[in-house]
């Protein structure tokens, strides 16, 4: 509905002029979409809310940098990801340099994830990961960044990113199997 | 492998979106309101500071020109004093003139038809009882009976002048003129009479916060305008760098929460190196202003802007005896706050233009909340040049 170009443009114009009603409309419309992304990068709702409001604050105060020639949703998504990464770096200052041997890494990469049913809620599984694994997993799987891009964003080595992904996958597998076992019992 | 990820991604993307929460928007709205309020304040601060600076510069320029004019006026007044001295000499001559009223002879170039006059004059002079007296002849030898029987061209002939009437006694005391003092008179009296420029440096001891505080240093420039020998206004810009050590973390101290690498590490302390830029202005009163050694006392107001600062955290893992130090990445910036300043010290006059200052000051922030720079007790020494 709001995605109609004319209405969105009107709201964005109001936001640029500092109109609080327009800002609220924009926030309300993109709230669900943005909160779903934030929840993936945080361990609880409070953290997600903090990331969400940080991102919206940044978006609303830097709206003059947005080029209306491009869609608004990807621009907002990029801000959300950047804020989530900043939040991760702020609260996890020590980069985790755990590298696996090449043989073990390739062996673990080959191990498939258990089958995921479409109705399964994966958010608790994702939240159970450590912050370092969760952020790498999100960036690689959900945002489809390469390991080199992730390494540049997080200030770590590309091999560390790869290792974190493998470990994240291993943890997810273990969590899903446990979940399946509990459900079957 | 990629299919697994795609399955995962589709599952997450297809997840139902959380409903809108009004409380979240209200929180963001408050933050936006604070941001909107802060911007006009900052702009207002700069727009207020700019005219003040321009005004100060203009005042200094005007003061310098006035000073030049005043010096020229003083020079001319000194010349006029010389003229007054001449006037006094004229009074003395006037006294002599009164003796001449009786005896004065005025010289004039000799003319042909003056010869007869000269003879008549000489005769008249001899007939004058005063001139004929012995006393007069003794004092004024040229006027005798034998004087100039045959005057020659080019020689001086004395003409007798009739005695002038006696002058009344002059009132020597000048008349007192009552002048009404206008506002302009007082303003002119309170005009700037001197200007100083100098630099200073010293030690700064932070105080007033719940922290272990370490001394730092300060360095800055200062200017002063003298309204009278005892009253002076100062303006200064000083850079402070202090160290604060805390055994707790918190945004109220400007030390954000940081998680250790693992739960085995215990937070020991955080060290914050806090630089700040201080601008202040105030009035100071000088005692013994005419002496070489002048104690002074001053009260001022100013603003201090916290510059971006570094924080180093120390954690300890007592189980394995390891310490982990962590430098907070990036710079944190502190808030702008205003303060009152009390300063006391002394000034020692080294020469006509140079003086040395030693002072102690206490800076007390007016706003206590937030993570602004702490109160400062400092000792400073400086060298000033007086224009």
């Amino acid at each position: 509905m709001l995605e109609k170009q004319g209405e969105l443009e009107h709201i964005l114009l109001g936001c640029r002029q500092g109109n609080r009603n327009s800002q609220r409309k924009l926030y309300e419309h993109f709230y669900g979409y943005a909160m779903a992304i934030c929840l993936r990068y945080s361990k609880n709702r409070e953290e997600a809310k903090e990331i969400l409001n940080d991102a919206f604050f940044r978006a609303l105060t830097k709206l003059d940098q947005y080029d209306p020639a491009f869609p608004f949703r990807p621009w907002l998504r990029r801000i959300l990801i950047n804020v989530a990464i900043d939040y991760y770096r702020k609260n996890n200052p020590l980069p985790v340099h755990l590298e696996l041997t090449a043989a073990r890494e390739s062996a673990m990469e080959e191990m498939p994830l258990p089958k995921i049913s479409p109705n399964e809620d994966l958010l608790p599984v994702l939240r159970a990961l450590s912050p370092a694994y969760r952020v790498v997993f999100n960036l690689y799987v959900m945002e489809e960044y390469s390991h080199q891009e992730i390494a540049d964003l997080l200030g770590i080595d590309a091999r560390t990113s790869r290792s974190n992904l493998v470990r994240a996958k291993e943890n997810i597998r273990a969590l899903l199997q446990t979940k399946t076992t509990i459900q079957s019992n | 492998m990629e299919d697994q990820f795609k399955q995962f991604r589709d599952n997450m993307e297809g997840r139902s979106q959380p409903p809108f929460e009004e409380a979240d928007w209200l929180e963001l709205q408050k933050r936006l309101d604070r941001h909107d309020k802060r911007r006009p304040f900052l702009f207002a601060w700069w727009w207020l500071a700019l005219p003040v600076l321009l005004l100060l510069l203009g005042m200094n320029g005007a003061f310098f020109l006035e000073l030049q004019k005043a010096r020229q006026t003083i020079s001319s007044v000194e010349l006029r004093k010389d003229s007054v001295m001449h006037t006094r000499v004229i009074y003395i001559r006037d006294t002599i003139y009164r003796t001449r009223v009786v005896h004065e002879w005025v010289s004039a170039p000799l003319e042909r038809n003056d010869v007869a006059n000269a003879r008549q004059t000489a005769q008249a002079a001899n007939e004058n009882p005063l001139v004929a007296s012995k006393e007069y002849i003794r004092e004024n030898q040229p006027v005798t009976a034998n004087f100039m029987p045959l005057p020659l061209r080019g020689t001086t002939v004395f003409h007798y002048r009739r005695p002038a009437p006696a002058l009344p006694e002059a009132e020597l005391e000048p008349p007192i003129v009552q002048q009404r003092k206008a506002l302009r008179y007082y303003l002119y009296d309170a005009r700037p009479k001197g200007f100083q420029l100098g630099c200073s440096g010293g030690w700064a001891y932070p105080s007033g916060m719940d922290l272990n505080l370490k001394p730092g240093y300060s360095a800055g420039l200062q200017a002063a305008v003298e309204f009278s020998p005892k009253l002076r206004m100062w303006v200064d810009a000083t850079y402070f760098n202090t160290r604060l050590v805390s055994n707790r973390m918190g945004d109220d101290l400007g030390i954000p929460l940081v998680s250790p690498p693992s739960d085995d590490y215990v937070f020991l302390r955080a060290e914050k190196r806090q630089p700040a830029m201080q601008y202040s202005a105030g009035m100071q009163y000088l005692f013994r202003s005419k002496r070489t050694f002048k104690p002074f006392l001053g009260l001022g107001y100013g603003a201090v802007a916290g510059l971006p600062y570094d924080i180093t955290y120390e954690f300890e893992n007592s189980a394995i005896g390891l310490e982990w130090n962590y430098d907070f990445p990036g710079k944190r910036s502190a808030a702008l706050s205003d303060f009152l300043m009390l300063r006391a010290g002394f000034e020692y006059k080294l020469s006509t233009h140079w003086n040395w200052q030693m002072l102690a000051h206490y800076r007390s922030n007016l706003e206590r909340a937030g993570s602004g720079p702490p109160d400062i007790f400092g000792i400073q020494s400086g060298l000033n040049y007086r224009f």
Side-chain angles (χ1 to χ4, degrees):
Chain A
M1 47 188 174
L2 192 66
E3 296 290 333
K4 285 176 188 171
Q5 200 60 27
E7 196 173 353
L8 182 62
E9 274 177 13
H10 181 70
I11 287 174
L12 289 174
L13 187 66
C15 291
R16 278 188 180 157
Q17 291 165 352
N19 186 313
R20 203 60 89 225
N21 283 335
S22 301
Q23 289 174 342
R24 188 203 151 95
K25 276 184 189 169
L26 192 77
Y27 185 82
E28 190 174 350
H29 179 71
F30 286 105
Y31 180 87
Y33 169 73
M35 187 54 118
I37 295 172
C38 295
L39 285 168
R40 294 203 293 263
Y41 283 89
S42 53
K43 66 179 175 193
N44 54 41
R45 197 190 170 281
E46 280 306 303
E47 270 191 21
K49 186 189 76 181
E50 203 171 331
I51 295 170
L52 175 80
N53 278 358
D54 273 355
F56 263 100
F57 180 78
R58 198 182 288 186
L60 290 171
T61 51
K62 310 262 168 146
L63 205 57
D64 51 340
Q65 293 175 13
Y66 164 65
D67 185 357
F70 298 94
F72 179 74
R73 192 180 283 258
W75 187 75
L76 179 65
R77 186 182 182 109
R78 201 164 65 243
I79 291 178
L80 285 161
I81 304 300
N82 287 341
V83 170
I85 289 168
D86 287 348
Y87 189 86
Y88 162 76
R89 292 177 68 168
K90 182 180 164 187
N91 293 292
N92 300 277
L94 185 67
V96 181
H97 295 289
L98 296 173
E99 290 174 20
L100 301 174
T101 58
R104 193 180 167 202
E105 187 180 315
S106 60
M108 287 172 75
E109 271 184 357
E110 293 304 319
M111 293 178 73
L113 285 172
K115 190 168 177 57
I116 299 163
S117 65
N119 296 328
E120 196 161 11
D121 188 6
L122 291 173
L123 190 61
V125 176
L126 202 55
R127 281 182 173 179
L129 294 176
S130 75
Y133 297 164
R134 186 167 57 231
V135 71
V136 170
F137 187 84
N138 268 318
L139 290 173
Y140 188 83
V141 176
M142 303 303 296
E143 313 303 332
E144 299 183 49
Y145 285 172
S146 69
H147 283 301
Q148 190 54 51
E149 285 171 330
I150 295 169
D152 293 342
L153 281 170
L154 299 180
I156 56 174
D157 196 82
R159 286 176 299 172
T160 306
S161 170
R162 193 171 288 112
S163 301
N164 284 0
L165 179 69
V166 170
R167 281 175 178 273
K169 214 169 72 176
E170 191 181 23
N171 288 1
I172 288 172
R173 187 184 303 113
L175 287 165
L176 286 174
Q177 277 173 354
T178 311
K179 202 175 169 187
T180 312
T181 311
I182 291 167
Q183 281 172 354
S184 62
N185 288 336
Chain B
M1 184 65 65
E2 292 303 320
D3 289 344
Q4 292 172 31
F5 289 146
K6 189 173 181 308
Q7 201 179 1
F8 198 98
R9 189 163 50 241
D10 291 345
N11 182 294
M12 291 300 292
E13 294 285 1
R15 202 169 168 272
S16 62
Q17 292 181 352
F20 174 68
E21 293 276 347
E22 185 71 23
D24 294 352
W25 161 249
L26 290 176
E27 199 172 302
L28 178 65
Q29 192 180 11
K30 277 182 193 168
R31 199 168 158 189
L32 288 166
D33 287 344
R34 280 199 302 273
H35 178 261
D36 289 349
K37 274 180 193 167
R38 199 186 306 163
R39 284 188 66 189
F41 171 73
L42 283 174
F43 277 111
W45 193 87
W46 280 110
W47 283 111
L48 277 174
L50 191 65
V52 168
L53 283 172
L54 288 173
L55 190 67
L56 277 173
L57 277 172
M59 274 177 65
N60 286 335
F63 157 74
F64 186 72
L65 291 173
E66 282 293 323
L67 192 68
Q68 294 278 42
K69 281 182 191 170
R71 281 181 180 157
Q72 286 173 1
T73 310
I74 288 165
S75 305
S76 60
V77 166
E78 282 170 358
L79 287 173
R80 272 186 219 161
K81 275 184 182 174
D82 288 342
S83 304
V84 170
M85 289 301 289
H86 282 302
T87 308
R88 284 179 185 168
V89 171
I90 288 164
Y91 272 117
I92 294 164
R93 287 179 69 184
D94 188 41
T95 310
I96 295 166
Y97 175 76
R98 278 202 273 181
T99 63
R100 285 188 182 180
V101 168
V102 181
H103 310 293
E104 186 184 36
W105 293 88
V106 180
S107 64
L110 185 67
E111 296 294 338
R112 180 174 291 276
N113 57 356
D114 284 339
V115 175
N117 291 338
R119 283 182 179 170
Q120 283 175 7
T121 304
Q123 191 179 353
N126 288 333
E127 286 170 2
N128 188 312
L130 282 172
V131 175
S133 70
K134 290 179 182 177
E135 230 181 306
Y136 179 77
I137 292 165
R138 202 167 46 244
E139 287 179 5
N140 302 277
Q141 283 302 321
V143 189
T144 61
N146 302 323
F147 173 69
M148 204 166 48
L150 290 169
L152 299 172
R153 177 178 284 276
T155 58
T156 304
V157 175
F158 294 88
H159 302 268
Y160 177 68
R161 180 176 285 180
R162 285 181 179 278
L167 293 171
E169 289 295 326
E171 290 286 338
L172 294 177
E173 288 183 10
I176 297 166
V177 180
Q178 291 289 337
Q179 284 187 338
R180 190 180 161 201
K181 290 178 180 175
L183 177 65
R184 195 176 158 191
Y185 172 85
Y186 294 104
L187 285 176
Y188 183 73
D189 202 37
R191 72 196 185 279
K193 297 174 187 69
F195 178 67
Q196 286 192 11
L197 197 63
C199 58
S200 62
W203 298 267
Y205 299 88
S207 65
M209 288 177 80
D210 181 23
L211 298 166
N212 298 319
L213 304 158
K214 305 287 180 186
Y217 63 89
S218 67
L221 294 172
Q222 62 176 0
V225 178
E226 293 172 11
F227 293 102
S228 78
K230 291 191 171 188
L231 197 63
R232 185 180 293 175
M233 187 184 91
W234 91 81
V235 181
D236 81 334
T238 307
Y239 172 82
F240 282 88
N241 199 326
T242 52
R243 283 196 306 144
L244 316 172
V245 178
S246 171
N247 53 10
R248 71 179 178 90
M249 295 183 274
D251 280 336
D252 57 326
L253 302 174
I255 300 171
L257 293 170
V258 163
S259 305
S262 74
D263 292 341
D264 299 330
Y265 282 86
V266 178
F267 174 69
L268 286 180
R269 61 178 193 159
E271 185 180 323
K272 176 178 154 188
R273 287 168 293 280
Q274 171 74 74
M277 201 68 201
Q278 170 193 296
Y279 306 94
S280 74
M283 300 298 290
Q284 67 186 31
Y285 184 84
L286 283 90
F287 304 93
R288 294 157 51 94
S289 58
K290 292 181 180 174
R291 309 284 182 86
T292 310
F293 179 83
K294 303 171 199 173
F296 63 81
L297 198 62
L299 183 68
Y301 171 80
V304 57
L307 300 174
Y309 57 86
D310 300 315
I311 312 169
T312 303
Y313 296 81
E314 285 184 25
F315 292 86
E316 186 187 36
N317 186 337
S318 52
I320 54 173
L322 273 182
E323 274 194 9
W324 179 63
N325 293 339
Y326 167 65
D327 289 330
F328 193 84
K331 300 274 188 181
R332 306 260 309 166
S333 60
L336 179 82
S337 60
D338 51 351
F339 61 83
L340 281 177
M341 176 181 270
L342 186 66
R343 49 196 268 174
F346 65 84
E347 181 180 298
Y348 186 80
K349 189 176 174 182
L350 299 171
S351 68
T352 314
H353 290 294
W354 290 97
N355 66 59
W356 173 66
Q357 256 188 9
M358 186 85 190
L359 65 96
H361 61 84
Y362 183 73
R363 184 182 86 195
S364 178
N365 290 343
L366 293 174
E367 194 178 347
R368 295 283 162 196
S371 58
D375 293 354
I376 293 279
F377 172 74
I379 296 172
Q380 276 187 331
S381 176
L383 198 62
N384 296 320
Y385 183 84
R386 188 178 186 282
F387 293 90

